Amino acid sequence: MKKVFNAYSSYYNLLYKDKDYVSEADYIVDLIKQHKPEAKTLVEFGSGTGKHALLFCEKGFQVNGVEPSAEMLKIAQSNSHTNLSFTHASIESLALAEKFDVATALFHVVSYLNENEELINSFRNIHKHLNEGGLFIFDLWYTPAVLSQVPEKRTKITEDDHIKVIRNATPVNHWNKNIIDVIYDINVFDKENKEDYVLSETHNMRHFSIPEIELLAKLTGFEIIKTEEFLSGETPGPNTWGVCFVLSKV
Ligand SMILES: C[S@@+](CC[C@H](N)C(=O)[O-])C[C@H]1O[C@@H](n2cnc3c(N)ncnc32)[C@H](O)[C@@H]1O
């Protein structure tokens, strides 16, 4: 189980403060209403700090968030709702007796699964935790966009009343593995103590083509019922970094 998110977690919500979790949750709920309108229970893999999970609860779902990073989980658990619970596990290791109507893995969680074996085991375990006809909805890095845009070094600066965070992201492309290592060098300036704190972590991100996911779905007992650009619903192409898949358990 990867632990890259443990140090990063303290700054995660600040780094992604402009991410529109509300529109994303609305988009996912629309997909669920289209393809499984009777769905009531949802398991969210890689639930991170729990933002989508809480929104899904507010929209009437009973939600279990599954997260391997203890630190991300701690932040998630500060969200409270009667229909919200969290489990400390990875996709591969989850072993609940309960089955769900829908599984989600949002904000590129599947791209963190790098090896074929890991992907097969993960999809099989998700299949095991779904009711008959259950949906698995996820978004991931899309190969045509990654190869035509080729990631470059980027800097993100963000702050609140207490800290200023400067994050440099340096990509290393493993052309023959479909993996980009994104090396994050993060400098945190504590405004009260006037002290700097530096941390570094690498996120290994795999990108996928549609036929690859088709193959994986077939191998693990799913069929693809929708493939589109995440949020816009457009047909994926060389400018579509994030593609959303809706799979159904067969
Ligand atoms: C980019 S974050 C997304 C978090 C959250 N879904 C969101 O939208 O804010 C990726 C998350 O995937 C989790 N993750 C990475 N590998 C995982 C695995 N094998 N099983 C479950 N979660 C995993 C990380 O711990 C992290 O919380």
Side-chain angles (χ1 to χ4, degrees), residues 22 36 49 58 108 148 150 159 190 197 212 217 237 248-249:
V22 171
K36 199 165 179 57
T49 56
E58 288 169 355
H108 314 146
S148 52
V150 186
E159 61 189 306
D190 185 323
Y197 174 57
E212 235 179 321
S248 170
K249 174 171 172 165

Side-chain angles (χ1 to χ4, degrees), residues 124-171:
R124 286 202 171 129
N125 203 24
I126 291 169
H127 187 275
K128 205 165 129 188
H129 284 89
L130 280 172
N131 289 319
E132 280 315 305
L135 302 180
F136 174 29
I137 307 176
F138 56 95
D139 60 319
L140 43 68
W141 282 21
Y142 186 50
T143 298
V146 174
L147 296 188
S148 52
Q149 295 174 24
V150 186
E152 291 171 352
K153 191 170 176 169
R154 287 212 182 138
T155 299
K156 183 166 187 169
I157 302 174
T158 185
E159 61 189 306
D160 63 12
D161 291 345
H162 309 288
I163 55 170
K164 178 173 181 179
V165 180
I166 302 172
R167 186 189 73 178
N168 287 311
T170 310

Side-chain angles (χ1 to χ4, degrees), residues 5-6 8-10 12-13 16 19 21 43-54 56 63-79 84-91 104-109 112:
F5 274 89
N6 278 350
Y8 196 59
S9 60
S10 326
Y12 186 85
N13 283 345
Y16 294 109
K19 188 170 164 60
Y21 281 92
V43 57
E44 208 212 335
F45 290 97
S47 51
T49 56
K51 290 196 163 183
H52 289 120
L54 180 64
F56 293 142
V63 180
N64 192 329
V66 175
E67 173 54 50
S69 153
E71 300 301 323
M72 295 289 262
L73 193 68
K74 210 160 119 190
I75 298 170
Q77 281 166 335
S78 64
N79 297 303
L84 180 61
S85 59
F86 289 97
T87 306
H88 188 200
S90 66
I91 303 180
T104 57
L106 302 175
F107 200 11
H108 314 146
V109 172
Y112 284 85

Side-chain angles (χ1 to χ4, degrees), residues 178-227:
N178 287 7
I179 290 172
I180 312 275
D181 294 341
V182 185
I183 304 162
Y184 288 119
D185 290 303
I186 302 167
N187 186 294
V188 184
F189 178 67
D190 185 323
K191 294 181 180 177
E192 280 145 39
N193 302 334
K194 308 224 176 311
E195 274 174 14
D196 275 311
Y197 174 57
V198 177
L199 65 109
S200 181
E201 58 185 43
T202 301
H203 293 208
N204 315 101
M205 307 299 291
R206 178 159 170 183
H207 48 86
F208 299 87
S209 65
I210 292 172
E212 235 179 321
I213 297 297
E214 256 164 22
L215 208 61
L216 186 61
K218 203 166 181 181
L219 198 64
T220 55
F222 287 105
E223 66 180 5
I224 297 184
I225 52 176
K226 187 169 253 182
T227 306

